[in-house]
Amino acid sequence: MWLSASSSKRSSKPSPAGQTTPQANSTPRPTSPSSALAEVLRKNPFRAGSRESLALEIEEDVSVQLNKDLLVLADFFPDVKVEVLRELLLRFDGNSRLALCTEQLFKYKAEWARGRLNVPPRDLDEPIPRNERFRTKSYVDAVKRTVAREFNSLNKSAIDAVLAEVNYCYTDARPTLQGLANKTWKIAITSIFKKKKSVTEPPSILLDKSKSDPAGSRLLATGSTVLDQELTTLFSVPDAVPKLRDQHAIDIELAEAINLQEAEDAGALFECQICYNDTTFEKIAACTLHNHTICLDCVRRTLNEAIFGQGWAKTVDMERGTLKCLAPSIDDDCDGCIPRDLVQRSISREKSASETWARFEDRLAEHSIQTSAITLARCPFCSYAEADQDYKAEHASKLNWHVRRPKDISTLTLILILELIPALLFLAIPFLVLFPKFFSSYFYIALGHLALRNRTTRFVCRRASCGRKSCLQCLKSWHDPHICHEPLILSLRTTVEAARTAAIKRTCPRCGTSFVKSSGCNKLTCVCGYSMCYLCRKNIGKAGSNTEGGEGYRHFCEHFRPTPGQKCQECDKCDLYRAEDEDAEVKRAGEDAERMWREREGMIGVKGLEDAVGNVAGEDTVLNRLKDGRWSVQDIADWAVEMFISVDVE
């Protein structure tokens, strides 16, 4: 597809003799991808100039449309980095921009990307970060003005280059510009006499010194709301959060001291029945049965010991999900418990209060899950678990299924099976009448097994703090396309392929050269002159020579056989042209290698590795079970349902 009309259309008028037309002097149509790409970019009628000039002319309404096109390209090409898509969109203009960019990526993705690929590809539901999208003109102008004022010791070209590298993001460009500015002689001299500022400290040139604010200096307005929010997040929020946290801790400490003094004056202190210390009412917890008073410090220490120590079974009430009463009783232990809200309040002053409480709830949930005996689907990266899909006989009866043509069965075989169906039904009718639930139970159980095999193994954790995707089969992180047990599959494939190659490979004992016979007779001659038999590997040398063997072609059978390929009945010499069954030898070597690999790696019976090497060694199929005598009626029902039935699984 060519963008310029002059490059794709030829003039219909013949040119006069001795005169040349622009078509005659035009360059021939390029054939290589690089020349075609250059031709497209050169003859683009919408191209307004260089990439820099195009970026400067982006208006706000244009950036909106560019971001829409960027989202579409990112969905179509998740393996290409977003910066490549931005560069490509800036090359074209007009209504056909998206179509042209898509065509260029389909044809010349390698030239555009130049190694800038996402490995693994970006998930389709993963949003594009804001700093990688197209910026509005107001934001770009505001960033340039702000950076030029802050780093006035740098050249304008250096600033523009750094901003172009980071898509005009002030937060990403500032560290690089600071590094460049520190190398200049002006900054090197002035830094000797000035105190070094922290990274989160705003530059003085961005502060509004005309207004005094008790909370601190305000930032100047830059003319862009987005940049103002970015500067506030970068400079104001990091300083404000620690100050608020410290002030909050000071206020609480002062309030507790005043409250303790007032309680002492009023005689309203309570004694903890564990540590026997006097404390205020706000720091006391009471059990739900006998109102035993326990201070929150003892509750906090007990909770930490239960979670991170060895006091879980003794101090935690599993049924109520809280701590047992800690106060000693005269007759027996108190059956009461401490309310959950008081237990949670006891650790609220700790820095890791949320993590400690989450750990406590996770252990309670784990205990409840284990006692429920429910089939669960777990997230391998956190403690989240949910009830797995159950396809028992009563649930499998509600599945949608239909009969399909079996795989790997010829039409003639299928016709014979259909012919035998009336006879099978005639024999099965008495059993169906006498035992109606016998066959239906086996059928629905087999249907449930088929549904479990056909369902997707992609699992998404619904925990807000996790949300990761994993595989239910191999319990690894999920990436499209996903291959279960990929490292093990590579190891198994390498082991089996090496064993298969070694089964048909021959090695010269004189020079160590390895080779495989592809055609010809069974007398093999190495490049070093050594001769051997391909079947028995004996040294046969040359006929008439004094080397070991020295048999040459006399090593092979010389008797006439009326049927070619038949084994000789008069001698047991090797055949000259008869080859051994290499396919059977290769298969046998592969099965032995896979069986030994499974024993060595402890992967006997593990599903998901059967298709890695193309054989059935270690695969627990119905045929192997019949051979080994390990079969059941349910196994045969599973095999028959898998061959003839298709299940629709969500």
Side-chain angles (χ1 to χ4, degrees), residues 102-123:
T102 305
E103 181 185 6
Q104 289 297 311
L105 285 175
F106 271 119
K107 291 183 177 180
Y108 315 116
K109 181 191 293 186
E111 292 196 12
W112 281 108
R114 295 179 182 177
R116 293 173 292 179
L117 300 174
N118 295 320
V119 180
R122 183 179 56 86
D123 293 336

Side-chain angles (χ1 to χ4, degrees), residues 356-415:
T356 303
W357 187 252
R359 185 74 175 271
F360 177 67
E361 290 187 330
D362 289 344
R363 292 199 61 175
L364 290 175
E366 184 69 22
H367 178 267
S368 301
I369 288 172
Q370 291 178 357
T371 55
S372 62
I374 300 176
T375 305
L376 299 173
R378 294 178 175 271
C379 175
F381 308 108
C382 67
S383 59
Y384 175 80
E386 63 183 32
D388 197 4
Q389 187 68 38
D390 189 8
Y391 292 108
K392 294 183 180 179
E394 56 272 14
H395 299 94
S397 59
K398 301 178 182 179
L399 292 172
N400 296 326
W401 58 274
H402 58 274
V403 180
R404 63 178 175 86
R405 177 177 174 176
K407 299 180 294 183
D408 302 330
I409 293 184
S410 61
T411 305
L412 181 60
T413 306
L414 186 61
I415 293 175

Side-chain angles (χ1 to χ4, degrees), residues 151 153-154 176-188:
F151 303 98
S153 61
L154 295 178
T176 305
L177 293 174
Q178 283 180 332
L180 295 176
N182 292 334
K183 297 179 181 179
T184 59
W185 63 272
K186 294 182 180 179
I187 302 298

Side-chain angles (χ1 to χ4, degrees), residues 342-357:
L342 295 178
V343 175
Q344 187 175 7
R345 196 174 74 180
S346 66
I347 60 173
S348 59
R349 297 287 301 276
E350 295 182 351
K351 293 183 179 180
S352 59
S354 58
E355 291 81 0
T356 303
W357 187 252

Side-chain angles (χ1 to χ4, degrees), residues 491-503:
S491 174
L492 175 59
R493 183 182 292 116
T494 304
T495 303
V496 173
E497 288 179 353
R500 289 174 174 176
T501 304

Side-chain angles (χ1 to χ4, degrees), residues 598-620:
R598 285 179 177 270
E599 293 176 356
R600 183 177 69 252
E601 299 292 338
M603 303 296 292
I604 298 177
V606 176
K607 302 293 184 180
L609 302 176
E610 291 80 9
D611 299 330
V613 290
N615 60 25
V616 293
E619 185 180 2
D620 196 14

Side-chain angles (χ1 to χ4, degrees), residues 587-602:
K587 183 177 180 180
R588 190 183 309 111
E591 292 177 355
D592 294 339
E594 182 177 355
R595 191 173 294 107
M596 294 176 61
W597 181 89
R598 285 179 177 270
E599 293 176 356
R600 183 177 69 252
E601 299 292 338

Side-chain angles (χ1 to χ4, degrees), residues 621-622 624-636:
T621 60
V622 176
N624 289 342
R625 290 185 180 184
L626 290 175
K627 291 180 179 179
D628 300 338
R630 301 178 296 105
W631 63 276
S632 62
V633 178
Q634 187 61 57
D635 294 335
I636 298 177

